[in-house]
Coordinates of all heavy atoms in Angstrom, one line a residue:
L166 N -21.0 6.7 12.5 CA -20.5 6.8 13.9 C -19.0 7.0 13.8 O -18.4 7.6 14.7 CB -20.9 5.5 14.7 CG -22.4 5.5 15.0 CD1 -22.6 4.2 15.8 CD2 -22.9 6.6 15.8
S167 N -18.3 6.2 12.9 CA -16.8 6.3 12.8 C -16.4 7.7 12.4 O -15.5 8.3 13.0 CB -16.4 5.3 11.7 OG -15.0 5.5 11.5
A168 N -17.2 8.4 11.5 CA -17.0 9.7 11.1 C -17.3 10.7 12.2 O -16.4 11.6 12.5 CB -17.8 10.1 9.9
L169 N -18.3 10.5 13.0 CA -18.6 11.3 14.1 C -17.5 11.2 15.1 O -17.1 12.3 15.7 CB -19.9 10.8 14.7 CG -20.5 11.7 15.9 CD1 -20.7 13.1 15.5 CD2 -21.8 11.1 16.4
F170 N -17.0 10.0 15.5 CA -16.0 9.8 16.4 C -14.7 10.6 16.0 O -14.0 11.2 16.7 CB -15.7 8.3 16.6 CG -14.6 8.0 17.5 CD1 -14.6 8.2 18.8 CD2 -13.3 7.7 16.9 CE1 -13.5 7.8 19.6 CE2 -12.2 7.4 17.7 CZ -12.2 7.5 19.0
S171 N -14.4 10.4 14.7 CA -13.1 11.0 14.2 C -13.2 12.5 14.2 O -12.1 13.1 14.6 CB -12.9 10.5 12.7 OG -12.7 9.2 12.7
V172 N -14.2 13.1 13.9 CA -14.4 14.6 13.9 C -14.3 15.0 15.4 O -13.6 16.0 15.6 CB -15.7 15.0 13.2 CG1 -16.0 16.5 13.4 CG2 -15.7 14.7 11.7
I173 N -15.1 14.4 16.3 CA -15.1 14.8 17.6 C -13.7 14.6 18.3 O -13.2 15.4 19.0 CB -16.1 14.0 18.5 CG1 -17.6 14.5 18.0 CG2 -16.0 14.4 19.9 CD1 -18.7 13.7 18.6
N174 N -13.1 13.5 17.9 CA -11.8 13.2 18.4 C -10.7 14.1 17.9 O -9.8 14.5 18.7 CB -11.4 11.7 18.0 CG -10.4 11.0 19.0 OD1 -10.6 11.3 20.2 ND2 -9.6 10.3 18.5
G175 N -10.8 14.7 16.7 CA -10.0 15.8 16.2 C -10.1 17.0 17.1 O -9.1 17.7 17.4
Y176 N -11.4 17.2 17.5 CA -11.6 18.4 18.4 C -11.0 18.2 19.8 O -10.6 19.2 20.4 CB -13.0 18.6 18.5 CG -13.4 19.8 19.4 CD1 -13.4 21.1 18.9 CD2 -14.0 19.5 20.6 CE1 -13.7 22.2 19.8 CE2 -14.4 20.6 21.5 CZ -14.3 21.9 21.1 OH -14.6 22.9 21.9
M177 N -11.1 16.9 20.3 CA -10.6 16.6 21.6 C -9.1 16.4 21.8 O -8.6 16.3 22.8 CB -11.4 15.5 22.1 CG -12.9 15.5 22.1 SD -13.5 16.6 23.3 CE -13.1 15.7 24.8
S178 N -8.4 16.2 20.6 CA -7.1 15.7 20.7 C -6.1 16.6 21.3 O -5.0 16.1 21.8 CB -6.6 15.3 19.2 OG -6.7 16.6 18.4
N179 N -6.3 17.9 21.4 CA -5.4 18.8 21.9 C -5.8 19.1 23.4 O -5.2 20.0 24.1 CB -5.4 20.2 21.2 CG -6.9 20.8 21.2 OD1 -7.8 20.2 21.6 ND2 -6.8 22.1 20.8
K180 N -6.6 18.3 24.0 CA -7.0 18.6 25.4 C -6.2 17.6 26.4 O -6.5 17.6 27.6 CB -8.5 18.4 25.5 CG -9.3 19.4 24.8 CD -10.7 19.4 25.2 CE -11.5 20.5 24.5 NZ -12.8 20.6 25.0

Side-chain angles (χ1 to χ4, degrees):
L166 292 178
S167 175
L169 181 61
F170 173 78
S171 297
V172 174
I173 294 175
N174 212 32
Y176 176 76
M177 302 290 292
S178 62
N179 61 348
K180 295 193 175 184

